[in-house]
mmCIF file with all atom_site columns, all heavy atoms in Angstrom:
data_model
loop_
_atom_site.group_PDB
_atom_site.id
_atom_site.type_symbol
_atom_site.label_atom_id
_atom_site.label_alt_id
_atom_site.label_comp_id
_atom_site.label_asym_id
_atom_site.label_entity_id
_atom_site.label_seq_id
_atom_site.pdbx_PDB_ins_code
_atom_site.Cartn_x
_atom_site.Cartn_y
_atom_site.Cartn_z
_atom_site.occupancy
_atom_site.B_iso_or_equiv
_atom_site.pdbx_formal_charge
_atom_site.auth_seq_id
_atom_site.auth_comp_id
_atom_site.auth_asym_id
_atom_site.auth_atom_id
_atom_site.pdbx_PDB_model_num
ATOM 1   N N   . LEU L 1 96  ? -38.954 89.876  9.080  1.00 0.00 ? 96  LEU L N   1
ATOM 2   C CA  . LEU L 1 96  ? -39.431 91.204  9.459  1.00 0.00 ? 96  LEU L CA  1
ATOM 3   C C   . LEU L 1 96  ? -39.686 92.057  8.221  1.00 0.00 ? 96  LEU L C   1
ATOM 4   O O   . LEU L 1 96  ? -40.605 92.897  8.203  1.00 0.00 ? 96  LEU L O   1
ATOM 5   C CB  . LEU L 1 96  ? -38.418 91.876  10.377 1.00 0.00 ? 96  LEU L CB  1
ATOM 6   C CG  . LEU L 1 96  ? -38.216 91.202  11.746 1.00 0.00 ? 96  LEU L CG  1
ATOM 7   C CD1 . LEU L 1 96  ? -37.187 91.962  12.567 1.00 0.00 ? 96  LEU L CD1 1
ATOM 8   C CD2 . LEU L 1 96  ? -39.527 91.085  12.503 1.00 0.00 ? 96  LEU L CD2 1
ATOM 9   N N   . SER L 1 97  ? -38.886 91.879  7.203  1.00 0.00 ? 97  SER L N   1
ATOM 10  C CA  . SER L 1 97  ? -39.132 92.602  5.954  1.00 0.00 ? 97  SER L CA  1
ATOM 11  C C   . SER L 1 97  ? -40.464 92.191  5.348  1.00 0.00 ? 97  SER L C   1
ATOM 12  O O   . SER L 1 97  ? -41.204 93.019  4.793  1.00 0.00 ? 97  SER L O   1
ATOM 13  C CB  . SER L 1 97  ? -37.990 92.329  4.972  1.00 0.00 ? 97  SER L CB  1
ATOM 14  O OG  . SER L 1 97  ? -38.239 92.931  3.738  1.00 0.00 ? 97  SER L OG  1
ATOM 15  N N   . LEU L 1 98  ? -40.783 90.903  5.472  1.00 0.00 ? 98  LEU L N   1
ATOM 16  C CA  . LEU L 1 98  ? -42.062 90.419  4.971  1.00 0.00 ? 98  LEU L CA  1
ATOM 17  C C   . LEU L 1 98  ? -43.227 91.040  5.742  1.00 0.00 ? 98  LEU L C   1
ATOM 18  O O   . LEU L 1 98  ? -44.247 91.453  5.155  1.00 0.00 ? 98  LEU L O   1
ATOM 19  C CB  . LEU L 1 98  ? -42.108 88.893  5.068  1.00 0.00 ? 98  LEU L CB  1
ATOM 20  C CG  . LEU L 1 98  ? -43.384 88.221  4.564  1.00 0.00 ? 98  LEU L CG  1
ATOM 21  C CD1 . LEU L 1 98  ? -43.595 88.505  3.080  1.00 0.00 ? 98  LEU L CD1 1
ATOM 22  C CD2 . LEU L 1 98  ? -43.319 86.713  4.820  1.00 0.00 ? 98  LEU L CD2 1
ATOM 23  N N   . LEU L 1 99  ? -43.065 91.154  7.081  1.00 0.00 ? 99  LEU L N   1
ATOM 24  C CA  . LEU L 1 99  ? -44.119 91.788  7.892  1.00 0.00 ? 99  LEU L CA  1
ATOM 25  C C   . LEU L 1 99  ? -44.300 93.252  7.507  1.00 0.00 ? 99  LEU L C   1
ATOM 26  O O   . LEU L 1 99  ? -45.426 93.774  7.436  1.00 0.00 ? 99  LEU L O   1
ATOM 27  C CB  . LEU L 1 99  ? -43.766 91.679  9.380  1.00 0.00 ? 99  LEU L CB  1
ATOM 28  C CG  . LEU L 1 99  ? -43.875 90.288  10.016 1.00 0.00 ? 99  LEU L CG  1
ATOM 29  C CD1 . LEU L 1 99  ? -43.464 90.350  11.482 1.00 0.00 ? 99  LEU L CD1 1
ATOM 30  C CD2 . LEU L 1 99  ? -45.275 89.738  9.888  1.00 0.00 ? 99  LEU L CD2 1
ATOM 31  N N   . THR L 1 100 ? -43.188 93.909  7.249  1.00 0.00 ? 100 THR L N   1
ATOM 32  C CA  . THR L 1 100 ? -43.255 95.323  6.855  1.00 0.00 ? 100 THR L CA  1
ATOM 33  C C   . THR L 1 100 ? -44.026 95.475  5.551  1.00 0.00 ? 100 THR L C   1
ATOM 34  O O   . THR L 1 100 ? -44.841 96.402  5.387  1.00 0.00 ? 100 THR L O   1
ATOM 35  C CB  . THR L 1 100 ? -41.838 95.886  6.705  1.00 0.00 ? 100 THR L CB  1
ATOM 36  O OG1 . THR L 1 100 ? -41.137 95.758  7.956  1.00 0.00 ? 100 THR L OG1 1
ATOM 37  C CG2 . THR L 1 100 ? -41.868 97.350  6.309  1.00 0.00 ? 100 THR L CG2 1
ATOM 38  N N   . LYS L 1 101 ? -43.786 94.567  4.613  1.00 0.00 ? 101 LYS L N   1
ATOM 39  C CA  . LYS L 1 101 ? -44.518 94.628  3.347  1.00 0.00 ? 101 LYS L CA  1
ATOM 40  C C   . LYS L 1 101 ? -46.009 94.380  3.549  1.00 0.00 ? 101 LYS L C   1
ATOM 41  O O   . LYS L 1 101 ? -46.861 95.009  2.891  1.00 0.00 ? 101 LYS L O   1
ATOM 42  C CB  . LYS L 1 101 ? -43.954 93.589  2.377  1.00 0.00 ? 101 LYS L CB  1
ATOM 43  C CG  . LYS L 1 101 ? -42.569 93.931  1.855  1.00 0.00 ? 101 LYS L CG  1
ATOM 44  C CD  . LYS L 1 101 ? -42.095 92.869  0.889  1.00 0.00 ? 101 LYS L CD  1
ATOM 45  C CE  . LYS L 1 101 ? -40.710 93.215  0.361  1.00 0.00 ? 101 LYS L CE  1
ATOM 46  N NZ  . LYS L 1 101 ? -40.222 92.180  -0.588 1.00 0.00 ? 101 LYS L NZ  1
ATOM 47  N N   . GLU L 1 102 ? -46.359 93.484  4.452  1.00 0.00 ? 102 GLU L N   1
ATOM 48  C CA  . GLU L 1 102 ? -47.771 93.197  4.713  1.00 0.00 ? 102 GLU L CA  1
ATOM 49  C C   . GLU L 1 102 ? -48.477 94.416  5.322  1.00 0.00 ? 102 GLU L C   1
ATOM 50  O O   . GLU L 1 102 ? -49.622 94.737  4.963  1.00 0.00 ? 102 GLU L O   1
ATOM 51  C CB  . GLU L 1 102 ? -47.892 91.980  5.650  1.00 0.00 ? 102 GLU L CB  1
ATOM 52  C CG  . GLU L 1 102 ? -47.479 90.665  5.022  1.00 0.00 ? 102 GLU L CG  1
ATOM 53  C CD  . GLU L 1 102 ? -48.413 90.253  3.910  1.00 0.00 ? 102 GLU L CD  1
ATOM 54  O OE1 . GLU L 1 102 ? -49.602 90.636  3.912  1.00 0.00 ? 102 GLU L OE1 1
ATOM 55  O OE2 . GLU L 1 102 ? -47.942 89.546  2.990  1.00 0.00 ? 102 GLU L OE2 1
ATOM 56  N N   . ILE L 1 103 ? -47.797 95.121  6.237  1.00 0.00 ? 103 ILE L N   1
ATOM 57  C CA  . ILE L 1 103 ? -48.389 96.331  6.826  1.00 0.00 ? 103 ILE L CA  1
ATOM 58  C C   . ILE L 1 103 ? -48.592 97.387  5.743  1.00 0.00 ? 103 ILE L C   1
ATOM 59  O O   . ILE L 1 103 ? -49.644 98.042  5.632  1.00 0.00 ? 103 ILE L O   1
ATOM 60  C CB  . ILE L 1 103 ? -47.500 96.875  7.957  1.00 0.00 ? 103 ILE L CB  1
ATOM 61  C CG1 . ILE L 1 103 ? -47.465 95.887  9.133  1.00 0.00 ? 103 ILE L CG1 1
ATOM 62  C CG2 . ILE L 1 103 ? -47.987 98.259  8.431  1.00 0.00 ? 103 ILE L CG2 1
ATOM 63  C CD1 . ILE L 1 103 ? -46.464 96.256  10.212 1.00 0.00 ? 103 ILE L CD1 1
ATOM 64  N N   . GLY L 1 104 ? -47.556 97.561  4.921  1.00 0.00 ? 104 GLY L N   1
ATOM 65  C CA  . GLY L 1 104 ? -47.656 98.545  3.841  1.00 0.00 ? 104 GLY L CA  1
ATOM 66  C C   . GLY L 1 104 ? -48.774 98.221  2.887  1.00 0.00 ? 104 GLY L C   1
ATOM 67  O O   . GLY L 1 104 ? -49.488 99.116  2.394  1.00 0.00 ? 104 GLY L O   1
ATOM 68  N N   . SER L 1 105 ? -48.955 96.916  2.561  1.00 0.00 ? 105 SER L N   1
ATOM 69  C CA  . SER L 1 105 ? -50.016 96.505  1.650  1.00 0.00 ? 105 SER L CA  1
ATOM 70  C C   . SER L 1 105 ? -51.400 96.800  2.233  1.00 0.00 ? 105 SER L C   1
ATOM 71  O O   . SER L 1 105 ? -52.315 97.228  1.516  1.00 0.00 ? 105 SER L O   1
ATOM 72  C CB  . SER L 1 105 ? -49.870 95.009  1.360  1.00 0.00 ? 105 SER L CB  1
ATOM 73  O OG  . SER L 1 105 ? -50.920 94.559  0.549  1.00 0.00 ? 105 SER L OG  1
ATOM 74  N N   . ALA L 1 106 ? -51.571 96.576  3.554  1.00 0.00 ? 106 ALA L N   1
ATOM 75  C CA  . ALA L 1 106 ? -52.870 96.839  4.195  1.00 0.00 ? 106 ALA L CA  1
ATOM 76  C C   . ALA L 1 106 ? -53.230 98.321  4.131  1.00 0.00 ? 106 ALA L C   1
ATOM 77  O O   . ALA L 1 106 ? -54.370 98.703  3.810  1.00 0.00 ? 106 ALA L O   1
ATOM 78  C CB  . ALA L 1 106 ? -52.833 96.340  5.634  1.00 0.00 ? 106 ALA L CB  1
ATOM 79  N N   . PHE L 1 107 ? -52.282 99.168  4.435  1.00 0.00 ? 107 PHE L N   1
ATOM 80  C CA  . PHE L 1 107 ? -52.578 100.602 4.432  1.00 0.00 ? 107 PHE L CA  1
ATOM 81  C C   . PHE L 1 107 ? -52.709 101.136 3.005  1.00 0.00 ? 107 PHE L C   1
ATOM 82  O O   . PHE L 1 107 ? -53.414 102.129 2.761  1.00 0.00 ? 107 PHE L O   1
ATOM 83  C CB  . PHE L 1 107 ? -51.502 101.368 5.210  1.00 0.00 ? 107 PHE L CB  1
ATOM 84  C CG  . PHE L 1 107 ? -51.759 101.354 6.695  1.00 0.00 ? 107 PHE L CG  1
ATOM 85  C CD1 . PHE L 1 107 ? -51.284 100.336 7.494  1.00 0.00 ? 107 PHE L CD1 1
ATOM 86  C CD2 . PHE L 1 107 ? -52.524 102.366 7.286  1.00 0.00 ? 107 PHE L CD2 1
ATOM 87  C CE1 . PHE L 1 107 ? -51.535 100.327 8.855  1.00 0.00 ? 107 PHE L CE1 1
ATOM 88  C CE2 . PHE L 1 107 ? -52.785 102.346 8.647  1.00 0.00 ? 107 PHE L CE2 1
ATOM 89  C CZ  . PHE L 1 107 ? -52.296 101.335 9.442  1.00 0.00 ? 107 PHE L CZ  1
ATOM 90  N N   . THR L 1 108 ? -52.091 100.533 2.049  1.00 0.00 ? 108 THR L N   1
ATOM 91  C CA  . THR L 1 108 ? -52.320 100.917 0.648  1.00 0.00 ? 108 THR L CA  1
ATOM 92  C C   . THR L 1 108 ? -53.759 100.634 0.260  1.00 0.00 ? 108 THR L C   1
ATOM 93  O O   . THR L 1 108 ? -54.406 101.425 -0.451 1.00 0.00 ? 108 THR L O   1
ATOM 94  C CB  . THR L 1 108 ? -51.354 100.154 -0.274 1.00 0.00 ? 108 THR L CB  1
ATOM 95  O OG1 . THR L 1 108 ? -50.010 100.494 0.069  1.00 0.00 ? 108 THR L OG1 1
ATOM 96  C CG2 . THR L 1 108 ? -51.591 100.493 -1.725 1.00 0.00 ? 108 THR L CG2 1
ATOM 97  N N   . ALA L 1 109 ? -54.252 99.499  0.716  1.00 0.00 ? 109 ALA L N   1
ATOM 98  C CA  . ALA L 1 109 ? -55.653 99.171  0.446  1.00 0.00 ? 109 ALA L CA  1
ATOM 99  C C   . ALA L 1 109 ? -56.604 100.183 1.086  1.00 0.00 ? 109 ALA L C   1
ATOM 100 O O   . ALA L 1 109 ? -57.622 100.570 0.492  1.00 0.00 ? 109 ALA L O   1
ATOM 101 C CB  . ALA L 1 109 ? -55.945 97.764  0.954  1.00 0.00 ? 109 ALA L CB  1
ATOM 102 N N   . LEU L 1 110 ? -56.255 100.655 2.315  1.00 0.00 ? 110 LEU L N   1
ATOM 103 C CA  . LEU L 1 110 ? -57.097 101.664 2.983  1.00 0.00 ? 110 LEU L CA  1
ATOM 104 C C   . LEU L 1 110 ? -57.081 102.968 2.199  1.00 0.00 ? 110 LEU L C   1
ATOM 105 O O   . LEU L 1 110 ? -58.119 103.632 2.028  1.00 0.00 ? 110 LEU L O   1
ATOM 106 C CB  . LEU L 1 110 ? -56.604 101.895 4.407  1.00 0.00 ? 110 LEU L CB  1
ATOM 107 C CG  . LEU L 1 110 ? -56.878 100.766 5.419  1.00 0.00 ? 110 LEU L CG  1
ATOM 108 C CD1 . LEU L 1 110 ? -56.165 101.040 6.739  1.00 0.00 ? 110 LEU L CD1 1
ATOM 109 C CD2 . LEU L 1 110 ? -58.378 100.616 5.658  1.00 0.00 ? 110 LEU L CD2 1
ATOM 110 N N   . ARG L 1 111 ? -55.930 103.350 1.695  1.00 0.00 ? 111 ARG L N   1
ATOM 111 C CA  . ARG L 1 111 ? -55.850 104.607 0.952  1.00 0.00 ? 111 ARG L CA  1
ATOM 112 C C   . ARG L 1 111 ? -56.612 104.505 -0.368 1.00 0.00 ? 111 ARG L C   1
ATOM 113 O O   . ARG L 1 111 ? -57.258 105.459 -0.816 1.00 0.00 ? 111 ARG L O   1
ATOM 114 C CB  . ARG L 1 111 ? -54.392 104.977 0.709  1.00 0.00 ? 111 ARG L CB  1
ATOM 115 C CG  . ARG L 1 111 ? -53.706 105.528 1.958  1.00 0.00 ? 111 ARG L CG  1
ATOM 116 C CD  . ARG L 1 111 ? -52.341 106.081 1.614  1.00 0.00 ? 111 ARG L CD  1
ATOM 117 N NE  . ARG L 1 111 ? -51.386 105.013 1.316  1.00 0.00 ? 111 ARG L NE  1
ATOM 118 C CZ  . ARG L 1 111 ? -50.611 104.443 2.224  1.00 0.00 ? 111 ARG L CZ  1
ATOM 119 N NH1 . ARG L 1 111 ? -50.684 104.832 3.508  1.00 0.00 ? 111 ARG L NH1 1
ATOM 120 N NH2 . ARG L 1 111 ? -49.780 103.487 1.896  1.00 0.00 ? 111 ARG L NH2 1
ATOM 121 N N   . ASP L 1 112 ? -56.543 103.328 -0.997 1.00 0.00 ? 112 ASP L N   1
ATOM 122 C CA  . ASP L 1 112 ? -57.268 103.155 -2.265 1.00 0.00 ? 112 ASP L CA  1
ATOM 123 C C   . ASP L 1 112 ? -58.782 103.135 -2.037 1.00 0.00 ? 112 ASP L C   1
ATOM 124 O O   . ASP L 1 112 ? -59.555 103.649 -2.856 1.00 0.00 ? 112 ASP L O   1
ATOM 125 C CB  . ASP L 1 112 ? -56.836 101.855 -2.941 1.00 0.00 ? 112 ASP L CB  1
ATOM 126 C CG  . ASP L 1 112 ? -55.403 101.929 -3.430 1.00 0.00 ? 112 ASP L CG  1
ATOM 127 O OD1 . ASP L 1 112 ? -54.859 103.048 -3.540 1.00 0.00 ? 112 ASP L OD1 1
ATOM 128 O OD2 . ASP L 1 112 ? -54.799 100.846 -3.682 1.00 0.00 ? 112 ASP L OD2 1
ATOM 129 N N   . ALA L 1 113 ? -59.200 102.549 -0.933 1.00 0.00 ? 113 ALA L N   1
ATOM 130 C CA  . ALA L 1 113 ? -60.641 102.443 -0.656 1.00 0.00 ? 113 ALA L CA  1
ATOM 131 C C   . ALA L 1 113 ? -61.282 103.790 -0.368 1.00 0.00 ? 113 ALA L C   1
ATOM 132 O O   . ALA L 1 113 ? -62.486 103.983 -0.566 1.00 0.00 ? 113 ALA L O   1
ATOM 133 C CB  . ALA L 1 113 ? -60.875 101.493 0.520  1.00 0.00 ? 113 ALA L CB  1
ATOM 134 N N   . SER L 1 114 ? -60.515 104.753 0.060  1.00 0.00 ? 114 SER L N   1
ATOM 135 C CA  . SER L 1 114 ? -61.079 106.064 0.410  1.00 0.00 ? 114 SER L CA  1
ATOM 136 C C   . SER L 1 114 ? -61.600 106.788 -0.823 1.00 0.00 ? 114 SER L C   1
ATOM 137 O O   . SER L 1 114 ? -62.379 107.725 -0.705 1.00 0.00 ? 114 SER L O   1
ATOM 138 C CB  . SER L 1 114 ? -60.019 106.918 1.113  1.00 0.00 ? 114 SER L CB  1
ATOM 139 O OG  . SER L 1 114 ? -58.936 107.160 0.229  1.00 0.00 ? 114 SER L OG  1
ATOM 140 N N   . THR L 1 115 ? -61.232 106.367 -1.991 1.00 0.00 ? 115 THR L N   1
ATOM 141 C CA  . THR L 1 115 ? -61.669 107.039 -3.214 1.00 0.00 ? 115 THR L CA  1
ATOM 142 C C   . THR L 1 115 ? -62.849 106.351 -3.866 1.00 0.00 ? 115 THR L C   1
ATOM 143 O O   . THR L 1 115 ? -63.303 106.781 -4.917 1.00 0.00 ? 115 THR L O   1
ATOM 144 C CB  . THR L 1 115 ? -60.500 107.102 -4.205 1.00 0.00 ? 115 THR L CB  1
ATOM 145 O OG1 . THR L 1 115 ? -60.111 105.769 -4.542 1.00 0.00 ? 115 THR L OG1 1
ATOM 146 C CG2 . THR L 1 115 ? -59.320 107.841 -3.612 1.00 0.00 ? 115 THR L CG2 1
ATOM 147 N N   . LYS L 1 116 ? -63.300 105.246 -3.317 1.00 0.00 ? 116 LYS L N   1
ATOM 148 C CA  . LYS L 1 116 ? -64.381 104.476 -3.916 1.00 0.00 ? 116 LYS L CA  1
ATOM 149 C C   . LYS L 1 116 ? -65.666 104.636 -3.101 1.00 0.00 ? 116 LYS L C   1
ATOM 150 O O   . LYS L 1 116 ? -65.626 104.882 -1.886 1.00 0.00 ? 116 LYS L O   1
ATOM 151 C CB  . LYS L 1 116 ? -63.988 103.009 -4.002 1.00 0.00 ? 116 LYS L CB  1
ATOM 152 C CG  . LYS L 1 116 ? -62.770 102.789 -4.904 1.00 0.00 ? 116 LYS L CG  1
ATOM 153 C CD  . LYS L 1 116 ? -62.373 101.352 -4.939 1.00 0.00 ? 116 LYS L CD  1
ATOM 154 C CE  . LYS L 1 116 ? -61.158 101.141 -5.814 1.00 0.00 ? 116 LYS L CE  1
ATOM 155 N NZ  . LYS L 1 116 ? -60.738 99.749  -5.841 1.00 0.00 ? 116 LYS L NZ  1
ATOM 156 N N   . SER L 1 117 ? -66.804 104.434 -3.793 1.00 0.00 ? 117 SER L N   1
ATOM 157 C CA  . SER L 1 117 ? -68.094 104.606 -3.110 1.00 0.00 ? 117 SER L CA  1
ATOM 158 C C   . SER L 1 117 ? -68.382 103.426 -2.196 1.00 0.00 ? 117 SER L C   1
ATOM 159 O O   . SER L 1 117 ? -68.851 103.600 -1.067 1.00 0.00 ? 117 SER L O   1
ATOM 160 C CB  . SER L 1 117 ? -69.215 104.770 -4.153 1.00 0.00 ? 117 SER L CB  1
ATOM 161 O OG  . SER L 1 117 ? -69.233 103.636 -5.010 1.00 0.00 ? 117 SER L OG  1
ATOM 162 N N   . ASP L 1 118 ? -68.132 102.276 -2.695 1.00 0.00 ? 118 ASP L N   1
ATOM 163 C CA  . ASP L 1 118 ? -68.400 101.068 -1.897 1.00 0.00 ? 118 ASP L CA  1
ATOM 164 C C   . ASP L 1 118 ? -67.131 100.680 -1.155 1.00 0.00 ? 118 ASP L C   1
ATOM 165 O O   . ASP L 1 118 ? -66.532 99.639  -1.392 1.00 0.00 ? 118 ASP L O   1
ATOM 166 C CB  . ASP L 1 118 ? -68.874 99.943  -2.830 1.00 0.00 ? 118 ASP L CB  1
ATOM 167 C CG  . ASP L 1 118 ? -69.510 98.805  -2.045 1.00 0.00 ? 118 ASP L CG  1
ATOM 168 O OD1 . ASP L 1 118 ? -69.668 98.961  -0.818 1.00 0.00 ? 118 ASP L OD1 1
ATOM 169 O OD2 . ASP L 1 118 ? -69.778 97.740  -2.649 1.00 0.00 ? 118 ASP L OD2 1
ATOM 170 N N   . ARG L 1 119 ? -66.691 101.516 -0.248 1.00 0.00 ? 119 ARG L N   1
ATOM 171 C CA  . ARG L 1 119 ? -65.376 101.374 0.376  1.00 0.00 ? 119 ARG L CA  1
ATOM 172 C C   . ARG L 1 119 ? -65.272 100.155 1.282  1.00 0.00 ? 119 ARG L C   1
ATOM 173 O O   . ARG L 1 119 ? -64.298 99.411  1.236  1.00 0.00 ? 119 ARG L O   1
ATOM 174 C CB  . ARG L 1 119 ? -65.056 102.630 1.175  1.00 0.00 ? 119 ARG L CB  1
ATOM 175 C CG  . ARG L 1 119 ? -64.933 103.882 0.298  1.00 0.00 ? 119 ARG L CG  1
ATOM 176 C CD  . ARG L 1 119 ? -64.715 105.123 1.103  1.00 0.00 ? 119 ARG L CD  1
ATOM 177 N NE  . ARG L 1 119 ? -65.903 105.439 1.909  1.00 0.00 ? 119 ARG L NE  1
ATOM 178 C CZ  . ARG L 1 119 ? -66.016 106.501 2.668  1.00 0.00 ? 119 ARG L CZ  1
ATOM 179 N NH1 . ARG L 1 119 ? -65.011 107.364 2.757  1.00 0.00 ? 119 ARG L NH1 1
ATOM 180 N NH2 . ARG L 1 119 ? -67.127 106.742 3.356  1.00 0.00 ? 119 ARG L NH2 1
ATOM 181 N N   . ILE L 1 120 ? -66.288 99.958  2.111  1.00 0.00 ? 120 ILE L N   1
ATOM 182 C CA  . ILE L 1 120 ? -66.197 98.887  3.108  1.00 0.00 ? 120 ILE L CA  1
ATOM 183 C C   . ILE L 1 120 ? -66.213 97.520  2.423  1.00 0.00 ? 120 ILE L C   1
ATOM 184 O O   . ILE L 1 120 ? -65.437 96.616  2.776  1.00 0.00 ? 120 ILE L O   1
ATOM 185 C CB  . ILE L 1 120 ? -67.366 99.005  4.110  1.00 0.00 ? 120 ILE L CB  1
ATOM 186 C CG1 . ILE L 1 120 ? -67.319 100.365 4.805  1.00 0.00 ? 120 ILE L CG1 1
ATOM 187 C CG2 . ILE L 1 120 ? -67.292 97.888  5.148  1.00 0.00 ? 120 ILE L CG2 1
ATOM 188 C CD1 . ILE L 1 120 ? -66.039 100.649 5.540  1.00 0.00 ? 120 ILE L CD1 1
ATOM 189 N N   . ASN L 1 121 ? -67.056 97.375  1.446  1.00 0.00 ? 121 ASN L N   1
ATOM 190 C CA  . ASN L 1 121 ? -67.130 96.092  0.745  1.00 0.00 ? 121 ASN L CA  1
ATOM 191 C C   . ASN L 1 121 ? -65.817 95.745  0.034  1.00 0.00 ? 121 ASN L C   1
ATOM 192 O O   . ASN L 1 121 ? -65.434 94.577  -0.063 1.00 0.00 ? 121 ASN L O   1
ATOM 193 C CB  . ASN L 1 121 ? -68.289 96.118  -0.255 1.00 0.00 ? 121 ASN L CB  1
ATOM 194 C CG  . ASN L 1 121 ? -69.656 96.154  0.450  1.00 0.00 ? 121 ASN L CG  1
ATOM 195 O OD1 . ASN L 1 121 ? -69.779 95.677  1.581  1.00 0.00 ? 121 ASN L OD1 1
ATOM 196 N ND2 . ASN L 1 121 ? -70.649 96.728  -0.214 1.00 0.00 ? 121 ASN L ND2 1
#
Side-chain angles (χ1 to χ4, degrees):
L96 295 180
S97 176
L98 181 61
L99 288 179
T100 301
K101 289 181 180 180
E102 291 294 333
I103 294 172
S105 177
F107 277 88
T108 299
L110 288 172
R111 284 189 288 269
D112 291 343
S114 63
T115 62
K116 297 178 181 179
S117 58
D118 195 6
R119 296 176 293 183
I120 301 302
N121 292 333

